[in-house]
Amino acid sequence: MHESANLAPQVDDLFARARAGDDAAWNELFHACYPKIIRVVRRKLNRPLRNIYDSADFASDVMKSLAAKADHLDFPSLRSLLTFLTEVAEKKVIDEHRKLHTQKRDVDRERRLEGESTRDGRPAMELPSGEPTASQVAQESEIREQLLAGQDAEERRVIELKRLGHSNAEISELTGWNIRKVQRFIKCLQDSMGNP
């Protein structure tokens, strides 16, 4: 019983020793306070925040704040220090919750791209298709009609081969045209459509 009475003042003056520059006291203080702060943060952290932050992020931030402001703080006992740190931790979680639920950053609007599904088994959010949209298909059709208008059968074939992705050299081989003729023809088509 006498030993525990001697130990209590050492624990209570732990912050004072740490503030005075005792690294061992800072280490002891960290090991005494950090687990308590982690528990407080875990209790306060809701699901959307847990997807973004780890409890250790907040606990480390609280301990950094304590170290940065140690010269301006004074605690008569370890209990008062723990009370202060748990309040700071709770406020940091609340502040981050408010920040992430502002209209600009509302985390409740975030949806996973894969892995979740609705009650009827469909994906919660479908990614946009890589296929062309209806307007893109219509525009392509209009441009093709404009390009083919007034062309003979051989020129139409060159246009169709280019549309299918063949290179000028391949078109030259398939049509028997000189490659320079293919290049000039394609360039004329581009110029007529206003493309560089």
Side-chain angles (χ1 to χ4, degrees), residues 99-170:
K99 186 172 112 180
L100 291 176
H101 283 82
T102 60
Q103 191 172 9
K104 180 179 176 181
R105 294 185 178 101
D106 190 1
V107 292
D108 290 333
R109 294 184 309 191
E110 291 181 1
R111 300 288 178 260
R112 296 188 94 143
L113 293 178
E114 52 189 51
E116 289 186 13
S117 59
T118 59
R119 290 182 184 157
D120 59 0
R122 290 182 300 130
M125 178 180 279
E126 294 183 25
L127 295 174
S129 170
E131 298 294 317
T133 63
S135 64
Q136 290 170 329
V137 170
Q139 287 174 349
E140 180 188 6
S141 177
E142 288 174 14
I143 290 171
R144 190 173 343 119
E145 285 177 22
Q146 290 173 2
L147 289 173
L148 294 174
Q151 307 292 342
D152 64 27
E154 202 171 331
E155 292 168 336
R156 286 174 178 253
R157 182 170 180 226
V158 170
I159 293 170
E160 196 58 31
L161 288 170
K162 191 65 176 175
R163 187 185 73 79
L164 293 173
H166 291 282
S167 69
N168 290 347
E170 292 170 334

Side-chain angles (χ1 to χ4, degrees), residues 28 37 50 73 90 97 192:
E28 193 177 335
I37 297 168
R50 283 179 197 222
L73 301 171
E90 288 174 357
H97 181 271
S192 71

Side-chain angles (χ1 to χ4, degrees), residues 36-45 49 58-59 62 82-98:
K36 173 80 171 163
I37 297 168
I38 287 280
R39 282 193 303 274
V40 168
V41 171
R42 283 187 182 144
R43 219 175 31 244
K44 290 287 182 185
L45 220 61
L49 285 177
F58 287 100
V62 169
L82 281 171
T83 302
F84 172 77
L85 292 176
T86 56
E87 287 174 8
V88 170
E90 288 174 357
K91 287 177 184 176
K92 284 189 181 290
V93 172
I94 290 167
D95 287 346
E96 196 59 34
H97 181 271
R98 285 181 183 151

Side-chain angles (χ1 to χ4, degrees), residues 162 166-175 177 179 182-183:
K162 191 65 176 175
H166 291 282
S167 69
N168 290 347
E170 292 170 334
I171 294 171
S172 173
E173 286 180 30
L174 292 169
T175 60
W177 284 15
I179 191 163
V182 172
Q183 290 170 343

